[in-house]
Amino acid sequence: MRSYDPDLTPPWKRSAPVPEVPAEVDLVVEEVSTGFCGAVIRCEAGTVTLEDRFGKHRVFPMEPRGFLLEGRPVTLVRPASGPARPTRTASGSIAVPGARARVARAGRIYVEGRHDAELVERVWGDDLRIEGVVVEYLEGIDDLPAIVADFAPAADARLGVLVDHLVPGSKESRIAAQISSPDVLVVGHPYIDVWEAVKPASLSIPAWPTVPRGQDWKTGVCEALGWPPNTGAAWQHILSKVHSYKDLEPSLLGRVEELIDFVTAP
């Protein structure tokens, strides 16, 4: 006669089974013992690595009932396909593993400064390489009409321009109004500097400070936030906190996507 160990635990004390969920990249879960909430960025050797909205990484064992998904307990398991790989680019587009960069198009996207270019590369770099779009920075747009004329835009060589502080009545809006070519698209965001396009929450600050008129804006920001008076170092700190489109304000996201669509249109 086969022996067995009966489960004498009363039914009301037994743990209900929970679903097993593959730990796919970008899945957002909460670890039950610590309350740490983040997106899956890696799954290997019985552990999962989560990244929270501040860019902090934590590694947790994939124990039964170890995580909450939309508030409900789940057991994370390794994806059937093996180690999790990113399924989307930083801009939110579908990732194309192994895709080669396209030969550069004749069209271009111009931005005002180096920080603008670095931020665009940070979030849209993968997309731009696949599309063959080159981003260049101008060090300001005071000479934009002459720059556009020198570029000689055409239907097969469109030009997109991203402008800071493009609001009614600004100097930038008056310069942009001088461009009338159908093969040039000038768009902009409302911020004094592209720094402000990074969400304050991503930097763990309550808000971007208001800097008095007449004071250098970046220097004033560093002073108000108690950062060292080194704007270059401040920018590197800001950029390091940008991991995807989720860290940027919609008013910048929409404009960059618009420019990419414009210069890549058939």
Side-chain angles (χ1 to χ4, degrees):
M1 181 176 181
R2 185 163 59 90
S3 63
Y4 66 94
D5 294 321
D7 184 356
L8 301 179
T9 305
W12 60 88
K13 290 188 178 181
R14 297 176 189 170
S15 296
V18 300
E20 293 186 344
V21 178
E24 301 283 359
V25 168
D26 292 338
L27 179 73
V28 177
V29 294
E30 178 182 341
E31 202 276 330
V32 294
S33 63
T34 63
F36 186 90
C37 183
V40 174
I41 62 170
R42 190 178 303 108
C43 173
E44 55 190 2
T47 65
V48 63
T49 303
L50 304 182
E51 179 183 73
D52 70 6
R53 64 191 183 95
F54 302 114
K56 184 178 181 180
H57 293 184
R58 291 279 298 274
V59 180
F60 298 100
M62 294 194 296
E63 297 180 342
R65 306 176 64 90
F67 299 86
L68 299 178
L69 176 61
E70 297 180 349
R72 297 184 178 182
V74 297
T75 297
L76 290 186
V77 296
R78 191 167 183 171
S81 58
R85 294 183 177 181
T87 57
R88 293 186 177 273
T89 66
S91 72
S93 301
I94 300 297
V96 185
R100 294 184 178 180
R102 177 174 174 165
V103 174
R105 296 173 181 267
R108 291 287 188 274
I109 291 177
Y110 286 167
V111 297
E112 284 205 47
R114 180 171 59 85
H115 294 178
D116 306 69
E118 289 177 345
L119 188 60
V120 170
E121 164 62 27
R122 183 87 168 188
V123 175
W124 289 274
D126 290 339
D127 308 64
L128 293 169
R129 279 181 284 279
I130 290 176
E131 294 290 350
V133 177
V134 175
V135 175
E136 300 179 7
Y137 66 90
L138 304 174
E139 295 291 5
I141 63 162
D142 288 354
D143 298 323
L144 185 60
I147 291 170
V148 170
D150 185 62
F151 181 83
D156 59 348
R158 290 182 166 186
L159 178 62
V161 184
L162 180 68
V163 177
D164 297 342
H165 199 224
L166 191 62
V167 296
S170 68
K171 176 192 75 172
E172 291 81 2
S173 67
R174 292 191 292 272
I175 293 173
Q178 299 177 44
I179 310 301
S180 59
S181 169
D183 299 311
V184 180
L185 176 64
V186 181
V187 299
H189 56 74
Y191 308 113
I192 294 174
D193 190 274
V194 77
W195 288 20
E196 277 192 292
V198 179
K199 291 180 178 178
S202 297
L203 298 169
S204 301
I205 60 175
W208 285 103
T210 299
V211 177
R213 253 181 110 91
Q215 181 180 5
D216 178 74
W217 188 83
K218 293 176 182 175
T219 302
V221 165
C222 291
E223 182 180 329
L225 294 176
W227 293 350
N230 183 329
T231 58
W235 169 243
Q236 291 306 313
H237 168 70
I238 295 166
L239 189 61
S240 72
K241 300 301 182 181
V242 176
H243 302 285
S244 75
Y245 71 96
K246 298 176 184 178
D247 296 305
L248 302 182
E249 297 288 359
S251 50
L252 175 67
L253 294 173
R255 303 296 73 75
V256 175
E257 296 285 352
E258 192 176 353
L259 290 176
I260 294 174
D261 289 344
F262 180 76
V263 300
T264 58

